[in-house]
Protein backbone atom coordinates (compact mmCIF):
# COMPACT_ATOMS: atom_id res chain seq x y z
CA UNK A 1 0.00 0.00 0.00
CA UNK A 2 2.89 2.36 0.77
CA UNK A 3 4.41 1.77 -2.70
CA UNK A 4 1.06 2.49 -4.40
CA UNK A 5 0.72 5.71 -2.43
CA UNK A 6 4.22 6.86 -3.41
CA UNK A 7 3.57 6.18 -7.11
CA UNK A 8 0.29 8.08 -6.94
CA UNK A 9 2.00 11.02 -5.28
CA UNK A 10 4.75 11.05 -7.91
CA UNK A 11 2.15 11.10 -10.67
CA UNK A 12 0.64 14.25 -9.17
CA UNK A 13 3.93 16.22 -9.15
CA UNK A 14 3.93 19.27 -11.45
CA UNK A 15 5.86 18.94 -14.70
CA UNK A 16 8.28 21.61 -13.54
CA UNK A 17 9.65 19.11 -11.08
CA UNK A 18 11.45 17.40 -14.00
CA UNK A 19 14.64 19.36 -14.82
CA UNK A 20 14.48 20.82 -18.36
CA UNK A 21 17.53 20.68 -20.62
CA UNK A 22 18.78 23.76 -22.39
CA UNK A 23 17.93 23.77 -26.12
CA UNK A 24 20.78 22.42 -28.21
CA UNK A 25 22.42 25.06 -30.34
CA UNK A 26 24.02 23.75 -33.52
CA UNK A 27 27.67 24.57 -33.92
CA UNK A 28 30.01 24.51 -36.92
CA UNK A 29 31.64 21.16 -37.65
CA UNK A 30 35.31 21.21 -38.67
CA UNK A 31 36.08 19.62 -42.02
CA UNK A 32 39.25 18.07 -43.36
CA UNK A 33 40.08 17.99 -47.09
CA UNK A 34 41.80 15.06 -48.74
CA UNK A 35 45.46 15.33 -47.88
CA UNK A 36 48.12 15.34 -50.57
CA UNK A 37 47.47 14.75 -54.26
CA UNK A 38 44.04 13.61 -55.47
CA UNK A 39 42.65 13.28 -59.00
CA UNK A 40 39.03 13.33 -60.11
CA UNK A 41 38.07 12.34 -63.65
CA UNK A 42 34.64 13.48 -64.81
CA UNK A 43 32.39 13.13 -67.85
CA UNK A 44 28.86 14.22 -68.67
CA UNK A 45 25.88 12.10 -69.66
CA UNK A 46 26.19 8.33 -69.82
CA UNK A 47 23.54 7.26 -72.32
CA UNK A 48 25.36 3.95 -72.55
CA UNK A 49 22.81 1.33 -73.53
CA UNK A 50 24.73 -1.89 -74.03
CA UNK A 51 27.94 -3.46 -72.67
CA UNK A 52 30.80 -2.04 -74.75
CA UNK A 53 33.80 -2.60 -72.48
CA UNK A 54 35.59 -5.09 -74.75
CA UNK A 55 35.00 -2.87 -77.79
CA UNK A 56 36.25 0.28 -76.07
CA UNK A 57 39.31 -1.50 -74.66
CA UNK A 58 40.20 -2.55 -78.20
CA UNK A 59 39.32 0.67 -80.04
CA UNK A 60 40.28 3.34 -77.54
CA UNK A 61 42.58 1.89 -74.88
CA UNK A 62 43.98 5.34 -74.04
CA UNK A 63 40.50 6.56 -73.11
CA UNK A 64 39.82 3.55 -70.88
CA UNK A 65 43.25 3.93 -69.27
CA UNK A 66 42.48 7.59 -68.55
CA UNK A 67 39.18 6.77 -66.82
CA UNK A 68 40.79 4.05 -64.72
CA UNK A 69 43.87 6.05 -63.75
CA UNK A 70 42.08 8.71 -61.66
CA UNK A 71 41.55 8.24 -57.94
CA UNK A 72 37.78 8.68 -58.50
CA UNK A 73 35.83 8.79 -61.78
CA UNK A 74 32.36 10.38 -62.10
CA UNK A 75 29.55 10.45 -64.70
CA UNK A 76 25.81 11.06 -64.95
CA UNK A 77 23.90 7.77 -65.30
CA UNK A 78 21.03 8.87 -67.56
CA UNK A 79 19.31 5.54 -68.13
CA UNK A 80 16.91 3.03 -66.71
CA UNK A 81 18.38 -0.47 -66.36
CA UNK A 82 15.91 -3.33 -66.23
CA UNK A 83 15.02 -6.70 -67.67
CA UNK A 84 11.71 -6.39 -69.53
CA UNK A 85 11.01 -10.09 -68.95
CA UNK A 86 10.97 -9.74 -65.15
CA UNK A 87 10.61 -6.08 -64.25
CA UNK A 88 7.60 -4.44 -62.61
CA UNK A 89 8.49 -1.16 -64.30
CA UNK A 90 6.41 0.03 -67.25
CA UNK A 91 6.89 2.86 -69.72
CA UNK A 92 5.18 5.92 -68.26
CA UNK A 93 2.77 8.28 -70.01
CA UNK A 94 5.52 10.90 -70.03
CA UNK A 95 9.27 10.56 -70.37
CA UNK A 96 12.32 12.75 -70.41
CA UNK A 97 12.08 12.78 -74.21
CA UNK A 98 12.85 9.14 -74.95
CA UNK A 99 12.10 6.05 -72.88
CA UNK A 100 15.80 5.25 -72.41
CA UNK A 101 16.37 1.58 -71.60
CA UNK A 102 19.76 -0.03 -70.99
CA UNK A 103 20.85 -3.67 -70.93
CA UNK A 104 21.05 -5.22 -67.44
CA UNK A 105 24.81 -5.70 -67.92
CA UNK A 106 25.50 -1.96 -68.29
CA UNK A 107 26.19 -1.06 -64.62
CA UNK A 108 28.96 -3.66 -64.30
CA UNK A 109 30.33 -2.54 -67.66
CA UNK A 110 30.39 1.10 -66.53
CA UNK A 111 32.22 0.06 -63.36
CA UNK A 112 34.64 -1.93 -65.50
CA UNK A 113 35.44 1.20 -67.51
CA UNK A 114 36.68 2.79 -64.30
CA UNK A 115 33.66 4.71 -63.01
CA UNK A 116 33.25 4.80 -59.24
CA UNK A 117 30.48 7.28 -58.53
CA UNK A 118 27.47 8.41 -60.58
CA UNK A 119 24.47 10.70 -60.34
CA UNK A 120 20.97 9.39 -61.02
CA UNK A 121 18.89 12.58 -60.83
CA UNK A 122 17.88 13.63 -64.33
CA UNK A 123 14.88 13.99 -66.64
CA UNK A 124 14.98 10.26 -67.50
CA UNK A 125 14.98 8.93 -63.91
CA UNK A 126 11.34 7.80 -64.06
CA UNK A 127 10.92 6.93 -67.76
CA UNK A 128 9.95 3.43 -66.62
CA UNK A 129 8.21 4.49 -63.42
CA UNK A 130 9.49 4.57 -59.89
CA UNK A 131 9.72 0.77 -60.11
CA UNK A 132 12.23 1.08 -62.95
CA UNK A 133 14.01 3.84 -61.06
CA UNK A 134 14.36 1.66 -57.96
CA UNK A 135 15.51 -1.35 -59.98
CA UNK A 136 18.18 0.79 -61.61
CA UNK A 137 19.39 1.86 -58.18
CA UNK A 138 19.63 -1.75 -57.02
CA UNK A 139 21.60 -2.72 -60.11
CA UNK A 140 24.00 0.21 -59.63
CA UNK A 141 24.57 -0.89 -56.04
CA UNK A 142 25.13 -4.50 -57.12
CA UNK A 143 27.81 -3.23 -59.52
CA UNK A 144 29.47 -1.46 -56.55
CA UNK A 145 28.83 1.99 -58.02
CA UNK A 146 28.08 4.72 -55.48
CA UNK A 147 25.10 6.79 -56.65
CA UNK A 148 22.69 9.47 -55.46
CA UNK A 149 19.82 11.66 -56.62
CA UNK A 150 16.78 9.34 -56.47
CA UNK A 151 15.12 7.44 -53.66
CA UNK A 152 11.91 6.34 -51.93
CA UNK A 153 11.40 9.87 -50.53
CA UNK A 154 12.82 13.34 -51.00
CA UNK A 155 15.00 12.98 -47.93
CA UNK A 156 16.50 9.80 -49.38
CA UNK A 157 16.88 11.27 -52.88
CA UNK A 158 18.62 14.37 -51.55
CA UNK A 159 20.85 12.56 -49.07
CA UNK A 160 24.62 12.48 -49.58
CA UNK A 161 26.13 9.15 -50.52
CA UNK A 162 29.75 8.25 -49.84
CA UNK A 163 32.64 6.43 -51.46
CA UNK A 164 35.46 5.49 -49.11
CA UNK A 165 38.28 5.78 -51.62
CA UNK A 166 41.91 4.99 -50.75
CA UNK A 167 42.80 8.68 -50.36
CA UNK A 168 39.69 9.82 -48.51
CA UNK A 169 35.92 9.84 -48.24
CA UNK A 170 34.22 11.25 -51.34
CA UNK A 171 30.58 12.37 -51.08
CA UNK A 172 28.06 13.04 -53.82
CA UNK A 173 24.81 15.01 -53.74
CA UNK A 174 22.80 14.94 -56.97
CA UNK A 175 19.89 17.07 -58.18
CA UNK A 176 18.06 17.93 -61.37
CA UNK A 177 16.38 21.16 -62.44
CA UNK A 178 14.97 19.49 -65.58
CA UNK A 179 12.34 16.85 -64.80
CA UNK A 180 8.88 15.61 -65.67
CA UNK A 181 6.16 16.59 -63.15
CA UNK A 182 5.77 12.99 -61.94
CA UNK A 183 9.50 12.66 -61.18
CA UNK A 184 9.74 14.88 -58.13
CA UNK A 185 10.16 12.97 -54.87
CA UNK A 186 8.34 13.97 -51.69
CA UNK A 187 8.58 13.19 -48.00
CA UNK A 188 5.69 11.64 -46.10
CA UNK A 189 3.49 13.62 -43.76
CA UNK A 190 1.21 12.08 -41.15
CA UNK A 191 -0.61 9.15 -42.73
CA UNK A 192 0.57 10.11 -46.23
CA UNK A 193 3.56 8.04 -47.31
CA UNK A 194 6.61 9.50 -49.00
CA UNK A 195 6.73 9.55 -52.79
CA UNK A 196 9.67 7.95 -54.65
CA UNK A 197 11.42 10.12 -57.20
CA UNK A 198 14.29 12.49 -57.87
CA UNK A 199 15.86 15.34 -55.94
CA UNK A 200 14.69 18.38 -57.88
CA UNK A 201 15.46 22.08 -57.88
CA UNK A 202 12.31 23.82 -59.05
CA UNK A 203 12.60 27.07 -60.98
CA UNK A 204 10.25 29.74 -62.29
CA UNK A 205 11.18 30.94 -65.77
CA UNK A 206 10.55 34.50 -66.95
CA UNK A 207 10.92 35.47 -70.62
CA UNK A 208 12.04 39.04 -71.30
CA UNK A 209 10.07 41.03 -73.88
CA UNK A 210 9.72 44.66 -74.92
CA UNK A 211 7.22 46.89 -73.05
CA UNK A 212 5.02 46.92 -76.15
CA UNK A 213 5.04 43.14 -76.39
CA UNK A 214 4.23 42.95 -72.67
CA UNK A 215 1.16 45.16 -73.17
CA UNK A 216 -0.03 42.88 -75.99
CA UNK A 217 0.45 39.79 -73.81
CA UNK A 218 -1.39 41.49 -70.94
CA UNK A 219 -4.35 42.21 -73.22
CA UNK A 220 -4.49 38.53 -74.25
CA UNK A 221 -4.10 37.37 -70.63
CA UNK A 222 -7.00 39.62 -69.57
CA UNK A 223 -9.31 37.51 -71.77
CA UNK A 224 -7.95 34.16 -70.59
CA UNK A 225 -10.36 31.96 -68.61
CA UNK A 226 -7.51 30.79 -66.38
CA UNK A 227 -7.41 32.49 -62.98
CA UNK A 228 -3.64 32.28 -62.91
CA UNK A 229 -3.34 34.41 -66.06
CA UNK A 230 -3.08 38.18 -65.94
CA UNK A 231 -0.84 41.09 -65.13
CA UNK A 232 0.68 41.49 -61.68
CA UNK A 233 3.13 44.32 -61.19
CA UNK A 234 5.67 44.31 -64.03
CA UNK A 235 5.02 40.70 -65.04
CA UNK A 236 2.37 38.94 -67.11
CA UNK A 237 1.43 35.28 -66.78
CA UNK A 238 -0.18 33.65 -69.81
CA UNK A 239 -0.94 29.93 -70.23
CA UNK A 240 1.66 29.00 -67.61
CA UNK A 241 4.41 31.23 -69.02
CA UNK A 242 5.73 34.34 -67.28
CA UNK A 243 6.89 37.47 -69.10
CA UNK A 244 8.59 40.67 -67.92
CA UNK A 245 10.16 43.70 -69.62
CA UNK A 246 13.86 43.48 -70.43
CA UNK A 247 16.58 43.49 -73.08
CA UNK A 248 15.60 41.43 -76.13
CA UNK A 249 18.27 41.78 -78.80
CA UNK A 250 19.28 38.18 -79.40
CA UNK A 251 18.17 35.38 -81.70
CA UNK A 252 16.27 33.65 -78.87
CA UNK A 253 14.13 34.90 -76.03
CA UNK A 254 16.23 35.89 -73.05
CA UNK A 255 15.21 34.04 -69.91
CA UNK A 256 15.61 34.73 -66.20
CA UNK A 257 15.06 32.04 -63.57
CA UNK A 258 14.16 32.08 -59.89
CA UNK A 259 14.95 29.00 -57.81
CA UNK A 260 12.54 27.60 -55.26
CA UNK A 261 13.92 28.82 -51.94
CA UNK A 262 13.02 25.60 -50.07
CA UNK A 263 14.72 23.38 -52.66
CA UNK A 264 17.81 25.58 -52.68
CA UNK A 265 18.15 25.62 -48.90
CA UNK A 266 17.67 21.85 -48.62
CA UNK A 267 20.29 21.11 -51.29
CA UNK A 268 22.80 23.44 -49.69
CA UNK A 269 22.18 21.77 -46.34
CA UNK A 270 22.83 18.35 -47.91
CA UNK A 271 26.12 19.67 -49.35
CA UNK A 272 27.15 21.02 -45.97
CA UNK A 273 26.40 17.69 -44.30
CA UNK A 274 28.30 15.83 -47.02
CA UNK A 275 31.38 17.94 -46.36
CA UNK A 276 31.10 17.46 -42.60
CA UNK A 277 30.95 13.68 -42.99
CA UNK A 278 33.40 13.42 -45.87
CA UNK A 279 36.65 14.84 -47.18
CA UNK A 280 35.56 15.77 -50.72
CA UNK A 281 32.14 16.70 -52.12
CA UNK A 282 30.80 16.45 -55.67
CA UNK A 283 27.59 18.37 -56.33
CA UNK A 284 25.97 17.10 -59.52
CA UNK A 285 23.17 19.02 -61.28
CA UNK A 286 21.31 17.95 -64.41
CA UNK A 287 20.27 21.14 -66.15
CA UNK A 288 18.92 21.60 -69.70
CA UNK A 289 17.80 25.18 -69.14
CA UNK A 290 17.39 27.40 -71.06
CA UNK A 291 17.52 24.71 -73.76
CA UNK A 292 19.75 22.25 -75.58
CA UNK A 293 20.56 24.84 -78.25
CA UNK A 294 22.18 27.16 -75.71
CA UNK A 295 25.92 26.99 -75.02
CA UNK A 296 25.73 29.46 -72.12
CA UNK A 297 24.46 28.35 -68.69
CA UNK A 298 21.19 29.68 -67.33
CA UNK A 299 21.55 32.45 -64.77
CA UNK A 300 20.32 30.31 -61.89
CA UNK A 301 22.90 27.59 -62.68
CA UNK A 302 25.66 30.12 -62.06
CA UNK A 303 24.07 31.18 -58.78
CA UNK A 304 23.50 27.56 -57.69
CA UNK A 305 27.03 26.46 -58.56
CA UNK A 306 28.66 29.28 -56.63
CA UNK A 307 26.43 28.78 -53.60
CA UNK A 308 27.26 25.06 -53.67
CA UNK A 309 30.97 25.87 -53.56
CA UNK A 310 30.36 28.36 -50.74
CA UNK A 311 28.59 25.60 -48.81
CA UNK A 312 31.46 23.11 -49.15
CA UNK A 313 31.32 21.47 -52.59
CA UNK A 314 34.76 20.77 -54.06
CA UNK A 315 33.48 20.31 -57.62
CA UNK A 316 30.25 21.27 -59.39
CA UNK A 317 29.38 18.80 -62.15
CA UNK A 318 26.85 20.12 -64.65
CA UNK A 319 25.33 18.08 -67.48
CA UNK A 320 22.08 17.95 -69.40
CA UNK A 321 22.14 20.02 -72.62
CA UNK A 322 24.14 17.27 -74.37
CA UNK A 323 26.88 19.71 -75.30
CA UNK A 324 29.75 21.51 -73.67
CA UNK A 325 29.29 24.69 -71.70
CA UNK A 326 32.04 26.79 -70.14
CA UNK A 327 34.24 26.11 -67.11
CA UNK A 328 34.60 28.53 -64.22
CA UNK A 329 37.06 28.46 -61.34
CA UNK A 330 35.36 29.89 -58.27
CA UNK A 331 37.27 30.21 -55.00
CA UNK A 332 39.78 27.68 -56.29
CA UNK A 333 37.13 25.07 -57.12
CA UNK A 334 36.00 23.98 -60.61
CA UNK A 335 32.51 24.56 -61.95
CA UNK A 336 31.78 22.52 -65.08
CA UNK A 337 28.54 24.02 -66.37
CA UNK A 338 28.15 21.10 -68.77
CA UNK A 339 30.48 18.28 -69.69
CA UNK A 340 28.26 17.27 -72.61
CA UNK A 341 27.92 13.59 -73.46
CA UNK A 342 30.29 10.74 -72.76
CA UNK A 343 28.07 8.31 -74.68
CA UNK A 344 24.83 8.88 -76.58
CA UNK A 345 23.75 5.49 -77.87
CA UNK A 346 20.01 6.23 -77.95
CA UNK A 347 20.01 5.60 -81.70
CA UNK A 348 20.56 1.88 -81.07
CA UNK A 349 17.48 1.13 -78.99
CA UNK A 350 15.71 -2.07 -79.99
CA UNK A 351 12.45 -1.34 -78.19
CA UNK A 352 10.58 1.90 -77.58
CA UNK A 353 7.31 2.77 -75.90
CA UNK A 354 4.33 3.03 -78.26
CA UNK A 355 3.90 6.60 -77.03
CA UNK A 356 7.03 7.47 -79.02
CA UNK A 357 5.28 6.59 -82.26
CA UNK A 358 2.38 8.85 -81.20
CA UNK A 359 4.86 11.59 -80.33
CA UNK A 360 6.17 11.70 -83.89
CA UNK A 361 2.95 10.77 -85.67
CA UNK A 362 4.32 7.49 -87.01
CA UNK A 363 2.42 4.24 -87.59
CA UNK A 364 4.22 1.46 -85.60
CA UNK A 365 3.66 -0.91 -88.51
CA UNK A 366 5.31 1.40 -91.04
CA UNK A 367 8.94 0.71 -90.18
CA UNK A 368 11.55 -0.54 -87.75
CA UNK A 369 12.63 1.06 -84.47
CA UNK A 370 15.99 2.19 -85.96
CA UNK A 371 14.11 3.87 -88.82
CA UNK A 372 11.99 5.80 -86.32
CA UNK A 373 15.08 6.78 -84.34
CA UNK A 374 16.96 7.83 -87.47
CA UNK A 375 14.12 10.15 -88.44
CA UNK A 376 13.96 11.55 -84.87
CA UNK A 377 17.74 12.02 -84.69
CA UNK A 378 17.80 13.87 -88.01
CA UNK A 379 15.32 16.32 -86.53
CA UNK A 380 16.56 16.65 -82.95
CA UNK A 381 20.13 15.32 -82.71
CA UNK A 382 21.95 16.45 -85.84
CA UNK A 383 24.05 19.20 -84.20
CA UNK A 384 27.74 18.12 -84.34
CA UNK A 385 28.32 19.72 -80.93
CA UNK A 386 26.29 16.92 -79.36
CA UNK A 387 28.96 14.42 -80.41
CA UNK A 388 31.99 16.32 -79.10
CA UNK A 389 33.05 16.44 -75.48
CA UNK A 390 35.94 16.09 -73.04
CA UNK A 391 37.08 13.97 -70.15
CA UNK A 392 38.06 16.44 -67.41
CA UNK A 393 40.79 15.32 -65.01
CA UNK A 394 41.17 17.67 -62.04
CA UNK A 395 44.24 17.45 -59.84
CA UNK A 396 43.85 18.60 -56.24
CA UNK A 397 46.53 19.34 -53.67
CA UNK A 398 45.57 20.06 -50.09
CA UNK A 399 41.92 20.40 -51.10
CA UNK A 400 42.55 22.97 -53.87
CA UNK A 401 42.61 22.44 -57.63
CA UNK A 402 46.06 23.01 -59.09
CA UNK A 403 45.49 21.74 -62.63
CA UNK A 404 42.68 20.57 -64.89
CA UNK A 405 43.41 18.60 -68.04
CA UNK A 406 40.75 18.32 -70.73
CA UNK A 407 41.00 15.33 -73.08
CA UNK A 408 38.74 15.70 -76.15
CA UNK A 409 36.52 12.78 -77.15
CA UNK A 410 34.59 12.10 -80.35
CA UNK A 411 31.20 10.35 -80.38
CA UNK A 412 31.12 10.00 -84.16
CA UNK A 413 28.68 12.51 -85.64
CA UNK A 414 29.52 11.24 -89.14
CA UNK A 415 29.15 7.57 -88.17
CA UNK A 416 25.92 5.80 -89.08
CA UNK A 417 24.24 2.93 -87.31
CA UNK A 418 25.06 1.31 -83.98
CA UNK A 419 28.50 2.91 -83.57
CA UNK A 420 27.14 6.44 -83.54
CA UNK A 421 27.31 7.91 -80.06
CA UNK A 422 30.07 5.52 -78.91
CA UNK A 423 33.02 7.48 -77.46
CA UNK A 424 36.68 7.39 -78.52
CA UNK A 425 39.62 9.75 -78.15
CA UNK A 426 39.36 12.49 -80.78
CA UNK A 427 41.95 12.86 -83.53
CA UNK A 428 44.43 15.69 -83.04
CA UNK A 429 42.77 18.07 -85.52
CA UNK A 430 39.25 17.28 -84.30
CA UNK A 431 40.32 17.49 -80.66
CA UNK A 432 41.86 20.92 -81.15
CA UNK A 433 38.58 22.18 -82.61
CA UNK A 434 36.69 20.86 -79.59
CA UNK A 435 39.14 22.53 -77.21
CA UNK A 436 39.04 25.82 -79.11
CA UNK A 437 35.27 25.91 -78.69
CA UNK A 438 35.49 25.09 -75.00
CA UNK A 439 38.17 27.75 -74.56
CA UNK A 440 35.89 30.37 -76.14
CA UNK A 441 32.98 29.31 -73.91
CA UNK A 442 35.13 29.50 -70.77
CA UNK A 443 36.84 32.84 -71.44
CA UNK A 444 33.79 34.97 -70.43
CA UNK A 445 33.81 33.08 -67.11
CA UNK A 446 37.39 34.21 -66.46
CA UNK A 447 38.99 30.87 -67.27
CA UNK A 448 42.07 30.51 -69.45
CA UNK A 449 42.51 27.20 -71.27
CA UNK A 450 45.80 26.48 -72.98
CA UNK A 451 46.02 23.80 -75.66
CA UNK A 452 49.17 21.74 -75.27
CA UNK A 453 49.85 18.68 -77.42
CA UNK A 454 46.16 18.07 -78.02
CA UNK A 455 45.11 18.50 -74.37
CA UNK A 456 43.38 21.49 -72.81
CA UNK A 457 45.12 22.67 -69.64
CA UNK A 458 43.93 25.00 -66.87
CA UNK A 459 46.64 25.82 -64.34
CA UNK A 460 46.00 27.45 -61.00
CA UNK A 461 48.10 28.49 -58.04
CA UNK A 462 49.05 25.65 -55.75
CA UNK A 463 48.34 25.95 -51.98
CA UNK A 464 50.66 28.61 -50.56
CA UNK A 465 50.44 30.79 -53.65
CA UNK A 466 53.13 29.09 -55.72
CA UNK A 467 52.28 28.48 -59.40
CA UNK A 468 51.25 24.91 -60.09
CA UNK A 469 53.62 22.94 -62.30
Amino acid sequence: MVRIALLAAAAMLPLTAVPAQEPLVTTPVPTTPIAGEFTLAAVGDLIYLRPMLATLEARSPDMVRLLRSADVTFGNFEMTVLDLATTKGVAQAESGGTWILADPGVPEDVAGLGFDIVSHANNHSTDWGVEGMAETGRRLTDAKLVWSGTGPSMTAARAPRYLDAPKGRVAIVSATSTFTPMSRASDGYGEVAGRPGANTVRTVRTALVTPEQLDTLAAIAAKSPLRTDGRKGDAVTLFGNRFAPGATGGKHLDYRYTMNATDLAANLRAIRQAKQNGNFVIYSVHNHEPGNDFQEPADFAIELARKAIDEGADAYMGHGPHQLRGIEIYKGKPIFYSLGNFAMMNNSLDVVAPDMYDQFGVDPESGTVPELLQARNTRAFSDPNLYESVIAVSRYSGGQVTEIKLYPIDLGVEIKGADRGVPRMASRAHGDRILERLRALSAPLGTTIRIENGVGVIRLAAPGGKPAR
Side-chain angles (χ1 to χ4, degrees), residues 182-199:
M182 67 159 284
S183 297
R184 184 173 179 270
S186 176
D187 285 328
Y189 185 78
E191 296 182 6
V192 178
R195 181 175 64 243
N199 174 25

Side-chain angles (χ1 to χ4, degrees), residues 285 287 289-290 294-298 301-302 305-306 315-330 333-340 385 388-390 392 404 406 434-449 458:
V285 177
N287 162 223
E289 292 83 6
F294 288 75
Q295 295 186 335
E296 296 76 29
I302 296 174
R306 292 174 180 176
Y316 176 97
M317 297 299 177
H319 35 81
H322 299 299
Q323 64 171 309
L324 291 169
R325 288 177 176 170
I327 301 169
E328 179 181 12
I329 306 300
Y330 176 72
K333 304 293 175 66
I335 297 173
F336 299 97
Y337 284 108
S338 175
L339 282 170
N385 291 344
E388 300 176 343
S389 192
V390 296
I404 301 172
L406 306 163
I434 296 170
L435 294 173
E436 288 286 2
R437 181 161 56 86
L438 183 55
R439 175 157 66 180
L441 293 172
S442 302
L445 298 167
T447 303
T448 299
I449 299 176
I458 302 170

